[in-house]
PDB file of all heavy atoms in Angstrom:
ATOM      1  N   ALA A 239      26.425  53.121 -17.009  1.00  0.00           N
ATOM      2  CA  ALA A 239      25.457  52.884 -18.073  1.00  0.00           C
ATOM      3  C   ALA A 239      24.320  52.012 -17.559  1.00  0.00           C
ATOM      4  O   ALA A 239      24.561  50.934 -17.015  1.00  0.00           O
ATOM      5  CB  ALA A 239      26.137  52.209 -19.259  1.00  0.00           C
ATOM      6  N   PRO A 240      23.054  52.448 -17.711  1.00  0.00           N
ATOM      7  CA  PRO A 240      21.928  51.643 -17.244  1.00  0.00           C
ATOM      8  C   PRO A 240      21.595  50.536 -18.236  1.00  0.00           C
ATOM      9  O   PRO A 240      22.074  50.541 -19.375  1.00  0.00           O
ATOM     10  CB  PRO A 240      20.786  52.663 -17.168  1.00  0.00           C
ATOM     11  CG  PRO A 240      21.106  53.641 -18.247  1.00  0.00           C
ATOM     12  CD  PRO A 240      22.606  53.732 -18.278  1.00  0.00           C
ATOM     13  N   SER A 241      20.788  49.590 -17.785  1.00  0.00           N
ATOM     14  CA  SER A 241      20.294  48.536 -18.670  1.00  0.00           C
ATOM     15  C   SER A 241      18.770  48.590 -18.682  1.00  0.00           C
ATOM     16  O   SER A 241      18.148  49.417 -18.014  1.00  0.00           O
ATOM     17  CB  SER A 241      20.761  47.157 -18.179  1.00  0.00           C
ATOM     18  OG  SER A 241      19.990  46.732 -17.062  1.00  0.00           O
ATOM     19  N   HIS A 242      18.168  47.682 -19.415  1.00  0.00           N
ATOM     20  CA  HIS A 242      16.708  47.655 -19.522  1.00  0.00           C
ATOM     21  C   HIS A 242      16.043  47.359 -18.178  1.00  0.00           C
ATOM     22  O   HIS A 242      14.901  47.748 -17.943  1.00  0.00           O
ATOM     23  CB  HIS A 242      16.289  46.601 -20.549  1.00  0.00           C
ATOM     24  CG  HIS A 242      14.816  46.522 -20.775  1.00  0.00           C
ATOM     25  ND1 HIS A 242      14.105  47.532 -21.391  1.00  0.00           N
ATOM     26  CD2 HIS A 242      13.913  45.553 -20.454  1.00  0.00           C
ATOM     27  CE1 HIS A 242      12.826  47.181 -21.449  1.00  0.00           C
ATOM     28  NE2 HIS A 242      12.689  45.994 -20.893  1.00  0.00           N
ATOM     29  N   VAL A 243      16.745  46.665 -17.272  1.00  0.00           N
ATOM     30  CA  VAL A 243      16.145  46.298 -15.984  1.00  0.00           C
ATOM     31  C   VAL A 243      16.654  47.166 -14.834  1.00  0.00           C
ATOM     32  O   VAL A 243      16.338  46.891 -13.678  1.00  0.00           O
ATOM     33  CB  VAL A 243      16.391  44.805 -15.663  1.00  0.00           C
ATOM     34  CG1 VAL A 243      15.766  43.904 -16.718  1.00  0.00           C
ATOM     35  CG2 VAL A 243      17.885  44.517 -15.540  1.00  0.00           C
ATOM     36  N   THR A 244      17.432  48.199 -15.145  1.00  0.00           N
ATOM     37  CA  THR A 244      17.913  49.085 -14.080  1.00  0.00           C
ATOM     38  C   THR A 244      16.729  49.788 -13.421  1.00  0.00           C
ATOM     39  O   THR A 244      15.892  50.396 -14.106  1.00  0.00           O
ATOM     40  CB  THR A 244      18.882  50.133 -14.648  1.00  0.00           C
ATOM     41  OG1 THR A 244      20.003  49.451 -15.237  1.00  0.00           O
ATOM     42  CG2 THR A 244      19.376  51.062 -13.558  1.00  0.00           C
ATOM     43  N   ALA A 245      16.667  49.706 -12.086  1.00  0.00           N
ATOM     44  CA  ALA A 245      15.506  50.257 -11.372  1.00  0.00           C
ATOM     45  C   ALA A 245      15.442  51.778 -11.470  1.00  0.00           C
ATOM     46  O   ALA A 245      14.375  52.361 -11.683  1.00  0.00           O
ATOM     47  CB  ALA A 245      15.558  49.825  -9.900  1.00  0.00           C
ATOM     48  N   ASP A 246      16.584  52.438 -11.306  1.00  0.00           N
ATOM     49  CA  ASP A 246      16.606  53.902 -11.314  1.00  0.00           C
ATOM     50  C   ASP A 246      17.604  54.371 -12.369  1.00  0.00           C
ATOM     51  O   ASP A 246      18.808  54.440 -12.128  1.00  0.00           O
ATOM     52  CB  ASP A 246      16.999  54.440  -9.935  1.00  0.00           C
ATOM     53  CG  ASP A 246      16.934  55.968  -9.857  1.00  0.00           C
ATOM     54  OD1 ASP A 246      16.504  56.585 -10.856  1.00  0.00           O
ATOM     55  OD2 ASP A 246      17.312  56.525  -8.821  1.00  0.00           O
ATOM     56  N   VAL A 247      17.101  54.681 -13.560  1.00  0.00           N
ATOM     57  CA  VAL A 247      17.989  55.072 -14.651  1.00  0.00           C
ATOM     58  C   VAL A 247      18.511  56.496 -14.472  1.00  0.00           C
ATOM     59  O   VAL A 247      19.418  56.922 -15.196  1.00  0.00           O
ATOM     60  CB  VAL A 247      17.264  54.959 -16.010  1.00  0.00           C
ATOM     61  CG1 VAL A 247      16.892  53.516 -16.295  1.00  0.00           C
ATOM     62  CG2 VAL A 247      16.031  55.851 -16.054  1.00  0.00           C
ATOM     63  N   ARG A 248      17.941  57.230 -13.510  1.00  0.00           N
ATOM     64  CA  ARG A 248      18.414  58.604 -13.271  1.00  0.00           C
ATOM     65  C   ARG A 248      19.649  58.637 -12.388  1.00  0.00           C
ATOM     66  O   ARG A 248      20.335  59.657 -12.307  1.00  0.00           O
ATOM     67  CB  ARG A 248      17.294  59.426 -12.620  1.00  0.00           C
ATOM     68  CG  ARG A 248      16.074  59.608 -13.519  1.00  0.00           C
ATOM     69  CD  ARG A 248      14.930  60.227 -12.754  1.00  0.00           C
ATOM     70  NE  ARG A 248      14.507  59.372 -11.651  1.00  0.00           N
ATOM     71  CZ  ARG A 248      13.511  59.676 -10.805  1.00  0.00           C
ATOM     72  NH1 ARG A 248      12.872  60.841 -10.949  1.00  0.00           N
ATOM     73  NH2 ARG A 248      13.173  58.851  -9.840  1.00  0.00           N
ATOM     74  N   ARG A 249      19.926  57.523 -11.737  1.00  0.00           N
ATOM     75  CA  ARG A 249      21.083  57.475 -10.849  1.00  0.00           C
ATOM     76  C   ARG A 249      22.371  57.556 -11.670  1.00  0.00           C
ATOM     77  O   ARG A 249      22.505  56.921 -12.715  1.00  0.00           O
ATOM     78  CB  ARG A 249      21.071  56.170 -10.048  1.00  0.00           C
ATOM     79  CG  ARG A 249      22.185  56.064  -9.006  1.00  0.00           C
ATOM     80  CD  ARG A 249      22.115  54.706  -8.309  1.00  0.00           C
ATOM     81  NE  ARG A 249      23.155  54.565  -7.307  1.00  0.00           N
ATOM     82  CZ  ARG A 249      24.413  54.261  -7.585  1.00  0.00           C
ATOM     83  NH1 ARG A 249      24.783  54.062  -8.839  1.00  0.00           N
ATOM     84  NH2 ARG A 249      25.304  54.150  -6.614  1.00  0.00           N
ATOM     85  N   THR A 250      23.309  58.357 -11.224  1.00  0.00           N
ATOM     86  CA  THR A 250      24.588  58.500 -11.916  1.00  0.00           C
ATOM     87  C   THR A 250      25.687  57.818 -11.131  1.00  0.00           C
ATOM     88  O   THR A 250      25.519  57.469  -9.958  1.00  0.00           O
ATOM     89  CB  THR A 250      24.936  59.996 -12.101  1.00  0.00           C
ATOM     90  OG1 THR A 250      25.021  60.615 -10.810  1.00  0.00           O
ATOM     91  CG2 THR A 250      23.891  60.698 -12.950  1.00  0.00           C
ATOM     92  N   GLY A 251      26.817  57.613 -11.781  1.00  0.00           N
ATOM     93  CA  GLY A 251      27.950  56.970 -11.119  1.00  0.00           C
ATOM     94  C   GLY A 251      27.956  55.479 -11.343  1.00  0.00           C
ATOM     95  O   GLY A 251      27.023  54.897 -11.911  1.00  0.00           O
ATOM     96  N   PRO A 252      29.005  54.810 -10.912  1.00  0.00           N
ATOM     97  CA  PRO A 252      29.132  53.367 -11.115  1.00  0.00           C
ATOM     98  C   PRO A 252      27.985  52.587 -10.482  1.00  0.00           C
ATOM     99  O   PRO A 252      27.438  52.992  -9.457  1.00  0.00           O
ATOM    100  CB  PRO A 252      30.466  53.030 -10.429  1.00  0.00           C
ATOM    101  CG  PRO A 252      31.191  54.328 -10.347  1.00  0.00           C
ATOM    102  CD  PRO A 252      30.154  55.386 -10.200  1.00  0.00           C
ATOM    103  N   VAL A 253      27.641  51.473 -11.111  1.00  0.00           N
ATOM    104  CA  VAL A 253      26.644  50.571 -10.534  1.00  0.00           C
ATOM    105  C   VAL A 253      27.319  49.829  -9.390  1.00  0.00           C
ATOM    106  O   VAL A 253      28.302  49.093  -9.600  1.00  0.00           O
ATOM    107  CB  VAL A 253      26.113  49.583 -11.585  1.00  0.00           C
ATOM    108  CG1 VAL A 253      25.110  48.627 -10.959  1.00  0.00           C
ATOM    109  CG2 VAL A 253      25.490  50.334 -12.749  1.00  0.00           C
ATOM    110  N   ALA A 254      26.816  50.048  -8.177  1.00  0.00           N
ATOM    111  CA  ALA A 254      27.488  49.509  -6.989  1.00  0.00           C
ATOM    112  C   ALA A 254      27.543  47.993  -7.004  1.00  0.00           C
ATOM    113  O   ALA A 254      28.563  47.380  -6.703  1.00  0.00           O
ATOM    114  CB  ALA A 254      26.785  50.009  -5.729  1.00  0.00           C
ATOM    115  N   GLN A 255      26.428  47.364  -7.339  1.00  0.00           N
ATOM    116  CA  GLN A 255      26.380  45.905  -7.327  1.00  0.00           C
ATOM    117  C   GLN A 255      25.393  45.430  -8.380  1.00  0.00           C
ATOM    118  O   GLN A 255      24.256  45.886  -8.420  1.00  0.00           O
ATOM    119  CB  GLN A 255      25.950  45.396  -5.943  1.00  0.00           C
ATOM    120  CG  GLN A 255      25.987  43.878  -5.815  1.00  0.00           C
ATOM    121  CD  GLN A 255      25.764  43.417  -4.377  1.00  0.00           C
ATOM    122  OE1 GLN A 255      26.031  44.163  -3.436  1.00  0.00           O
ATOM    123  NE2 GLN A 255      25.285  42.201  -4.213  1.00  0.00           N
ATOM    124  N   LEU A 256      25.860  44.539  -9.202  1.00  0.00           N
ATOM    125  CA  LEU A 256      25.009  44.010 -10.268  1.00  0.00           C
ATOM    126  C   LEU A 256      24.236  42.805  -9.754  1.00  0.00           C
ATOM    127  O   LEU A 256      24.817  41.833  -9.277  1.00  0.00           O
ATOM    128  CB  LEU A 256      25.857  43.589 -11.470  1.00  0.00           C
ATOM    129  CG  LEU A 256      26.513  44.706 -12.275  1.00  0.00           C
ATOM    130  CD1 LEU A 256      27.452  44.106 -13.315  1.00  0.00           C
ATOM    131  CD2 LEU A 256      25.462  45.560 -12.962  1.00  0.00           C
ATOM    132  N   SER A 257      22.910  42.879  -9.864  1.00  0.00           N
ATOM    133  CA  SER A 257      22.088  41.723  -9.511  1.00  0.00           C
ATOM    134  C   SER A 257      22.183  40.693 -10.627  1.00  0.00           C
ATOM    135  O   SER A 257      22.660  40.977 -11.732  1.00  0.00           O
ATOM    136  CB  SER A 257      20.631  42.155  -9.339  1.00  0.00           C
ATOM    137  OG  SER A 257      20.105  42.600 -10.580  1.00  0.00           O
ATOM    138  N   ASP A 258      21.694  39.482 -10.327  1.00  0.00           N
ATOM    139  CA  ASP A 258      21.691  38.450 -11.365  1.00  0.00           C
ATOM    140  C   ASP A 258      20.838  38.876 -12.546  1.00  0.00           C
ATOM    141  O   ASP A 258      21.165  38.579 -13.711  1.00  0.00           O
ATOM    142  CB  ASP A 258      21.173  37.131 -10.797  1.00  0.00           C
ATOM    143  CG  ASP A 258      22.192  36.455  -9.881  1.00  0.00           C
ATOM    144  OD1 ASP A 258      23.300  37.020  -9.700  1.00  0.00           O
ATOM    145  OD2 ASP A 258      21.878  35.375  -9.338  1.00  0.00           O
ATOM    146  N   ALA A 259      19.735  39.571 -12.282  1.00  0.00           N
ATOM    147  CA  ALA A 259      18.868  40.046 -13.361  1.00  0.00           C
ATOM    148  C   ALA A 259      19.611  41.045 -14.249  1.00  0.00           C
ATOM    149  O   ALA A 259      19.487  41.020 -15.476  1.00  0.00           O
ATOM    150  CB  ALA A 259      17.602  40.685 -12.790  1.00  0.00           C
ATOM    151  N   GLU A 260      20.394  41.924 -13.609  1.00  0.00           N
ATOM    152  CA  GLU A 260      21.187  42.893 -14.367  1.00  0.00           C
ATOM    153  C   GLU A 260      22.223  42.175 -15.233  1.00  0.00           C
ATOM    154  O   GLU A 260      22.421  42.511 -16.405  1.00  0.00           O
ATOM    155  CB  GLU A 260      21.878  43.866 -13.415  1.00  0.00           C
ATOM    156  CG  GLU A 260      20.996  44.978 -12.891  1.00  0.00           C
ATOM    157  CD  GLU A 260      21.000  46.179 -13.839  1.00  0.00           C
ATOM    158  OE1 GLU A 260      21.410  46.031 -15.010  1.00  0.00           O
ATOM    159  OE2 GLU A 260      20.567  47.256 -13.395  1.00  0.00           O
ATOM    160  N   ILE A 261      22.894  41.195 -14.648  1.00  0.00           N
ATOM    161  CA  ILE A 261      23.927  40.466 -15.399  1.00  0.00           C
ATOM    162  C   ILE A 261      23.309  39.758 -16.594  1.00  0.00           C
ATOM    163  O   ILE A 261      23.831  39.823 -17.713  1.00  0.00           O
ATOM    164  CB  ILE A 261      24.652  39.460 -14.483  1.00  0.00           C
ATOM    165  CG1 ILE A 261      25.463  40.213 -13.420  1.00  0.00           C
ATOM    166  CG2 ILE A 261      25.568  38.542 -15.298  1.00  0.00           C
ATOM    167  CD1 ILE A 261      26.076  39.317 -12.359  1.00  0.00           C
ATOM    168  N   ARG A 262      22.181  39.079 -16.365  1.00  0.00           N
ATOM    169  CA  ARG A 262      21.525  38.366 -17.469  1.00  0.00           C
ATOM    170  C   ARG A 262      21.110  39.328 -18.570  1.00  0.00           C
ATOM    171  O   ARG A 262      21.289  39.041 -19.763  1.00  0.00           O
ATOM    172  CB  ARG A 262      20.323  37.587 -16.949  1.00  0.00           C
ATOM    173  CG  ARG A 262      20.691  36.323 -16.169  1.00  0.00           C
ATOM    174  CD  ARG A 262      19.462  35.440 -15.955  1.00  0.00           C
ATOM    175  NE  ARG A 262      18.511  36.078 -15.058  1.00  0.00           N
ATOM    176  CZ  ARG A 262      18.466  35.894 -13.740  1.00  0.00           C
ATOM    177  NH1 ARG A 262      19.365  35.088 -13.164  1.00  0.00           N
ATOM    178  NH2 ARG A 262      17.573  36.495 -12.990  1.00  0.00           N
ATOM    179  N   GLU A 263      20.545  40.467 -18.188  1.00  0.00           N
ATOM    180  CA  GLU A 263      20.110  41.441 -19.190  1.00  0.00           C
ATOM    181  C   GLU A 263      21.287  42.019 -19.959  1.00  0.00           C
ATOM    182  O   GLU A 263      21.264  42.119 -21.189  1.00  0.00           O
ATOM    183  CB  GLU A 263      19.336  42.568 -18.499  1.00  0.00           C
ATOM    184  CG  GLU A 263      18.988  43.750 -19.400  1.00  0.00           C
ATOM    185  CD  GLU A 263      18.111  43.372 -20.572  1.00  0.00           C
ATOM    186  OE1 GLU A 263      17.357  42.377 -20.477  1.00  0.00           O
ATOM    187  OE2 GLU A 263      18.177  44.078 -21.594  1.00  0.00           O
ATOM    188  N   ARG A 264      22.321  42.391 -19.237  1.00  0.00           N
ATOM    189  CA  ARG A 264      23.473  43.013 -19.886  1.00  0.00           C
ATOM    190  C   ARG A 264      24.267  42.028 -20.745  1.00  0.00           C
ATOM    191  O   ARG A 264      24.997  42.437 -21.655  1.00  0.00           O
ATOM    192  CB  ARG A 264      24.384  43.649 -18.828  1.00  0.00           C
ATOM    193  CG  ARG A 264      23.768  44.870 -18.130  1.00  0.00           C
ATOM    194  CD  ARG A 264      24.623  45.325 -16.955  1.00  0.00           C
ATOM    195  NE  ARG A 264      24.007  46.413 -16.206  1.00  0.00           N
ATOM    196  CZ  ARG A 264      24.234  47.716 -16.432  1.00  0.00           C
ATOM    197  NH1 ARG A 264      25.063  48.087 -17.393  1.00  0.00           N
ATOM    198  NH2 ARG A 264      23.642  48.632 -15.693  1.00  0.00           N
ATOM    199  N   MET A 265      24.128  40.736 -20.477  1.00  0.00           N
ATOM    200  CA  MET A 265      24.822  39.719 -21.262  1.00  0.00           C
ATOM    201  C   MET A 265      23.897  39.045 -22.275  1.00  0.00           C
ATOM    202  O   MET A 265      24.275  38.055 -22.904  1.00  0.00           O
ATOM    203  CB  MET A 265      25.417  38.656 -20.328  1.00  0.00           C
ATOM    204  CG  MET A 265      26.561  39.146 -19.449  1.00  0.00           C
ATOM    205  SD  MET A 265      28.049  39.511 -20.405  1.00  0.00           S
ATOM    206  CE  MET A 265      28.497  37.873 -20.972  1.00  0.00           C
ATOM    207  N   SER A 266      22.714  39.580 -22.452  1.00  0.00           N
ATOM    208  CA  SER A 266      21.712  38.891 -23.280  1.00  0.00           C
ATOM    209  C   SER A 266      22.084  38.833 -24.760  1.00  0.00           C
ATOM    210  O   SER A 266      21.504  38.054 -25.516  1.00  0.00           O
ATOM    211  CB  SER A 266      20.349  39.573 -23.126  1.00  0.00           C
ATOM    212  OG  SER A 266      20.414  40.934 -23.545  1.00  0.00           O
ATOM    213  N   GLY A 267      23.048  39.640 -25.194  1.00  0.00           N
ATOM    214  CA  GLY A 267      23.472  39.579 -26.587  1.00  0.00           C
ATOM    215  C   GLY A 267      24.392  38.419 -26.900  1.00  0.00           C
ATOM    216  O   GLY A 267      24.741  38.202 -28.062  1.00  0.00           O
ATOM    217  N   ASN A 268      24.792  37.664 -25.886  1.00  0.00           N
ATOM    218  CA  ASN A 268      25.669  36.504 -26.078  1.00  0.00           C
ATOM    219  C   ASN A 268      24.898  35.233 -25.791  1.00  0.00           C
ATOM    220  O   ASN A 268      24.390  35.046 -24.683  1.00  0.00           O
ATOM    221  CB  ASN A 268      26.894  36.591 -25.158  1.00  0.00           C
ATOM    222  CG  ASN A 268      27.826  37.711 -25.559  1.00  0.00           C
ATOM    223  OD1 ASN A 268      27.557  38.878 -25.289  1.00  0.00           O
ATOM    224  ND2 ASN A 268      28.914  37.363 -26.217  1.00  0.00           N
ATOM    225  N   ILE A 269      24.822  34.374 -26.784  1.00  0.00           N
ATOM    226  CA  ILE A 269      24.031  33.146 -26.674  1.00  0.00           C
ATOM    227  C   ILE A 269      24.935  31.950 -26.409  1.00  0.00           C
ATOM    228  O   ILE A 269      25.973  31.780 -27.061  1.00  0.00           O
ATOM    229  CB  ILE A 269      23.228  32.905 -27.961  1.00  0.00           C
ATOM    230  CG1 ILE A 269      22.203  34.029 -28.150  1.00  0.00           C
ATOM    231  CG2 ILE A 269      22.525  31.559 -27.934  1.00  0.00           C
ATOM    232  CD1 ILE A 269      21.470  33.962 -29.468  1.00  0.00           C
ATOM    233  N   CYS A 270      24.536  31.124 -25.436  1.00  0.00           N
ATOM    234  CA  CYS A 270      25.230  29.868 -25.159  1.00  0.00           C
ATOM    235  C   CYS A 270      24.279  28.735 -25.513  1.00  0.00           C
ATOM    236  O   CYS A 270      23.298  28.497 -24.811  1.00  0.00           O
ATOM    237  CB  CYS A 270      25.637  29.781 -23.689  1.00  0.00           C
ATOM    238  SG  CYS A 270      26.341  28.175 -23.228  1.00  0.00           S
ATOM    239  N   ARG A 271      24.554  28.036 -26.591  1.00  0.00           N
ATOM    240  CA  ARG A 271      23.656  26.958 -27.027  1.00  0.00           C
ATOM    241  C   ARG A 271      23.725  25.747 -26.101  1.00  0.00           C
ATOM    242  O   ARG A 271      22.851  24.906 -26.114  1.00  0.00           O
ATOM    243  CB  ARG A 271      23.986  26.570 -28.468  1.00  0.00           C
ATOM    244  CG  ARG A 271      23.628  27.653 -29.467  1.00  0.00           C
ATOM    245  CD  ARG A 271      24.080  27.287 -30.882  1.00  0.00           C
ATOM    246  NE  ARG A 271      23.649  28.279 -31.842  1.00  0.00           N
ATOM    247  CZ  ARG A 271      24.294  29.409 -32.106  1.00  0.00           C
ATOM    248  NH1 ARG A 271      25.425  29.667 -31.451  1.00  0.00           N
ATOM    249  NH2 ARG A 271      23.848  30.260 -32.993  1.00  0.00           N
ATOM    250  N   CYS A 272      24.793  25.653 -25.308  1.00  0.00           N
ATOM    251  CA  CYS A 272      24.899  24.553 -24.348  1.00  0.00           C
ATOM    252  C   CYS A 272      24.088  24.821 -23.084  1.00  0.00           C
ATOM    253  O   CYS A 272      23.875  23.913 -22.285  1.00  0.00           O
ATOM    254  CB  CYS A 272      26.362  24.317 -23.976  1.00  0.00           C
ATOM    255  SG  CYS A 272      27.406  23.821 -25.354  1.00  0.00           S
ATOM    256  N   GLY A 273      23.703  26.059 -22.862  1.00  0.00           N
ATOM    257  CA  GLY A 273      22.902  26.391 -21.684  1.00  0.00           C
ATOM    258  C   GLY A 273      23.703  26.512 -20.408  1.00  0.00           C
ATOM    259  O   GLY A 273      23.202  26.182 -19.322  1.00  0.00           O
ATOM    260  N   ALA A 274      24.942  27.005 -20.520  1.00  0.00           N
ATOM    261  CA  ALA A 274      25.788  27.137 -19.320  1.00  0.00           C
ATOM    262  C   ALA A 274      25.571  28.470 -18.623  1.00  0.00           C
ATOM    263  O   ALA A 274      26.476  28.979 -17.961  1.00  0.00           O
ATOM    264  CB  ALA A 274      27.255  26.983 -19.715  1.00  0.00           C
ATOM    265  N   TYR A 275      24.389  29.030 -18.730  1.00  0.00           N
ATOM    266  CA  TYR A 275      24.119  30.359 -18.190  1.00  0.00           C
ATOM    267  C   TYR A 275      24.327  30.484 -16.672  1.00  0.00           C
ATOM    268  O   TYR A 275      24.850  31.510 -16.221  1.00  0.00           O
ATOM    269  CB  TYR A 275      22.699  30.806 -18.564  1.00  0.00           C
ATOM    270  CG  TYR A 275      22.504  31.001 -20.047  1.00  0.00           C
ATOM    271  CD1 TYR A 275      21.643  30.181 -20.769  1.00  0.00           C
ATOM    272  CD2 TYR A 275      23.184  32.003 -20.735  1.00  0.00           C
ATOM    273  CE1 TYR A 275      21.469  30.353 -22.128  1.00  0.00           C
ATOM    274  CE2 TYR A 275      23.016  32.183 -22.094  1.00  0.00           C
ATOM    275  CZ  TYR A 275      22.150  31.356 -22.789  1.00  0.00           C
ATOM    276  OH  TYR A 275      21.980  31.535 -24.141  1.00  0.00           O
ATOM    277  N   PRO A 276      23.926  29.502 -15.850  1.00  0.00           N
ATOM    278  CA  PRO A 276      24.164  29.656 -14.402  1.00  0.00           C
ATOM    279  C   PRO A 276      25.642  29.875 -14.072  1.00  0.00           C
ATOM    280  O   PRO A 276      25.985  30.729 -13.241  1.00  0.00           O
ATOM    281  CB  PRO A 276      23.634  28.348 -13.811  1.00  0.00           C
ATOM    282  CG  PRO A 276      22.586  27.903 -14.786  1.00  0.00           C
ATOM    283  CD  PRO A 276      23.133  28.281 -16.125  1.00  0.00           C
ATOM    284  N   GLY A 277      26.522  29.112 -14.703  1.00  0.00           N
ATOM    285  CA  GLY A 277      27.952  29.279 -14.467  1.00  0.00           C
ATOM    286  C   GLY A 277      28.461  30.616 -14.984  1.00  0.00           C
ATOM    287  O   GLY A 277      29.340  31.238 -14.372  1.00  0.00           O
TER     288      GLY A 277
END
């Protein structure tokens, strides 16, 4: 499944490696009010 920041949305198959940008985008629906996002 692609995300908003996926470079090539036409690519099929598992995402080989998630970049930090991908992780942040895909987890953007969860808010941490303490700001523990780096961890």
Side-chain angles (χ1 to χ4, degrees):
S241 77
H242 182 68
V243 299
T244 300
D246 184 4
V247 296
R248 296 171 298 180
R249 184 182 180 281
T250 60
V253 178
Q255 185 171 335
L256 290 173
S257 65
D258 286 0
E260 280 272 17
I261 293 173
R262 286 193 292 267
E263 172 61 26
R264 292 171 185 267
M265 292 291 293
S266 60
N268 291 77
I269 296 174
C270 174
R271 291 175 176 84
C272 298
Y275 295 114

